[in-house]
Amino acid sequence: MPLFSPVTKAEIIICRDVEALSRRAAEQFISLARAAMAAHGNFTVALSGGSTPKALYSLLATEEFSAQLDWRRIHLFFGDERCVAPDHAESNYRMVHESLLAKIAIPGANVHRLRGEDPPPLAAQAYEAELRRHFGAAALPRFDLALLGLGEDGHTASLFPGSLALNEVAGWVAAAYVEKLSAHRLTLTFPLFNNVAQVSFLVAGASKAGVLAAILQDSTADYPAARIKPNAGGLTWFVDHAAAEQLASPALN
Ligand code: 6PG
């Protein structure tokens, strides 16, 4: 039985552990893919980096789930990327390739990589052009699904506290220096994420319990992830018991 946040009205699905969370998210992925393909012939997804989303990708790559998907009609984009080469240990593309892309029959043209190896401003410009090519002259791209993780500091994608990317409202892709990482990051911006048809967060582990409770229960919480509120779309938090530890269930209906 899902719960709902009194603050964000988001659906909260609490699962036993990260495996159960990944399974619920994979079931949602299949369901959304079927609906999107029936509605407009393809399914466009913005992927997240991080270890929790990685567990979902590994599950989607299994025969049980992969065989239910027509990868020829699925387009995979990246919600953010580190400014490194695609074969670098830190690369989100490398993580997605190892956990999913190398195990499924998806056409290369359907995988839209954020070029972390390029100068960040050029990579951001090039990705905006890629988005325009895929979504057409749409005022704002509308992904069918965006998968997101949550950092202990309340970041999501590469929208970090204090980052200039938080204030980007005209651009679709931001290249911003992240002080705490001493590195640049590439990220889709709030206007894009908040135009997505379905945003699903994947959050596991006790270290996320405090920030998750703040985002879902404290209307004054000012974390970047709290600003993800799809204008006309769904918002679901798939969380494990450890991350949900501080959720005051009576506060959730
Ligand atoms: C990244 C992700 C980032 C990640 C969170 C949570 O590039 O690292 O986009 O936003 O999702 O840091 O990561 P974990 O699930 O590994 O805690």
Side-chain angles (χ1 to χ4, degrees):
M1 181 66 183
L3 298 168
F4 292 90
S5 159
V7 170
T8 67
K9 308 301 176 224
E11 177 186 32
I12 304 163
I13 297 177
I14 302 176
C15 305
R16 183 180 61 257
D17 54 25
V18 71
E19 287 73 27
L21 175 162
S22 300
R23 178 163 289 276
R24 289 294 298 272
E27 290 163 357
Q28 183 194 61
F29 190 100
I30 299 285
S31 167
L32 291 171
R34 287 187 177 137
M37 288 179 192
H40 49 258
N42 65 22
F43 181 46
T44 302
V45 183
L47 300 176
S48 171
S51 57
T52 313
K54 180 178 180 180
L56 167 59
Y57 306 150
S58 298
L59 188 58
L60 287 173
T62 63
E63 178 68 18
E64 177 187 358
F65 285 95
S66 182
Q68 299 182 63
L69 294 162
D70 181 357
W71 293 104
R72 295 168 303 175
R73 297 198 292 163
I74 297 177
H75 284 262
L76 301 176
F77 287 79
F78 287 77
D80 72 318
E81 184 55 279
R82 290 85 182 280
C83 294
V84 295
D87 60 354
H88 190 283
E90 290 290 304
S91 165
N92 286 342
Y93 173 80
R94 174 173 166 176
M95 180 272 286
V96 172
H97 185 265
E98 290 173 347
S99 55
L100 177 62
L101 303 180
K103 302 171 183 174
I104 59 175
I106 188 167
N110 289 26
V111 180
H112 306 266
R113 187 172 68 82
L114 242 173
R115 291 177 56 87
E117 67 273 32
D118 290 347
L122 297 183
Q125 286 167 16
Y127 211 55
E128 282 205 17
E130 178 85 352
L131 289 165
R132 289 187 196 284
R133 276 192 294 275
H134 180 77
F135 288 98
L140 207 54
R142 183 170 173 81
F143 287 95
D144 297 303
L145 171 63
L147 295 168
L148 288 172
L150 176 68
E152 293 176 35
D153 60 358
H155 82 260
T156 191
S158 283
L159 295 162
F160 284 83
S163 166
L164 291 177
L166 302 183
N167 307 318
E168 181 58 61
V169 290
W172 298 353
V173 186
Y177 186 74
V178 181
E179 287 291 339
K180 70 180 291 188
L181 302 176
S182 303
H184 279 84
R185 284 286 189 94
L186 293 160
T187 187
L188 299 188
T189 56
F190 283 122
L192 248 66
F193 282 123
N194 286 333
N195 197 47
V196 170
Q198 169 63 41
V199 173
S200 291
F201 279 90
L202 310 171
V203 186
S207 68
K208 309 292 177 68
V211 67
L212 182 68
I215 290 169
L216 295 180
Q217 297 176 159
D218 174 2
S219 59
T220 65
D222 185 26
Y223 297 104
R227 291 171 53 180
I228 299 289
K229 298 173 183 169
N231 304 316
L235 177 59
T236 301
W237 290 79
F238 293 101
V239 303
D240 72 354
H241 279 156
E245 181 64 31
Q246 294 182 31
L247 293 184
S249 50
L252 303 175
N253 57 44

